[in-house]
Amino acid sequence: MFTEARHLDKLWKLATNHKTGEKYYRADKSTKLIVSGVTFDERQKDGHLNNAHWAFCVGYAFRDALGLSFDQRKKNKVAYMVWTQSPYIYFKEGDLLASRCGNYNLQVKMANAIRREKISHLIDYGLVNFLIFKKLDGRHRYYAMQTVTQYEFLQVLIYGLPEAMR
């Protein structure tokens, strides 16, 4: 498992139901993010995820899909706002992401969110069914379709398409 997915996986904490004694997983949030930081220029009304090293352009608009939220925390009874990371990654149908090199576009055709099963309490890592468009003759043309988990799709966005998908 790649570094970012290991971090997200650690946010699932094993808990115990006090009434039944049954063990289950619950999602935690962390101030350690999978991006190097989230910034917003109030004057220009422009946000950045500071992830220019990722293989695909995943902009500020995708912060919900990445499980990022601006939450209130308290320290010594003083409230403050901070960016937090949750393990719930959810890219949705219609999301379109371009590679930084310009040779590929990915479009999500169908997706299921990451969730915890209520009865079995197991973690379902969701699915992303996406189309790959490859630049041929100056235009992006349909090349292939792939189905992966939400975390595997995140891996593609960070590190690029594996050789088998190109």
Side-chain angles (χ1 to χ4, degrees), residues 4 10 27 29 34 43 63 93 113 125 130 141 147:
E4 292 82 1
K10 287 179 186 174
K29 287 189 172 186
I34 59 172
R43 194 176 69 231
R63 53 195 190 282
E93 179 182 338
Y125 289 97
F130 65 99
R141 300 181 188 277
T147 303

Side-chain angles (χ1 to χ4, degrees), residues 75 88 156 159:
K75 187 172 185 174
Y88 290 109
V156 168
Y159 300 107

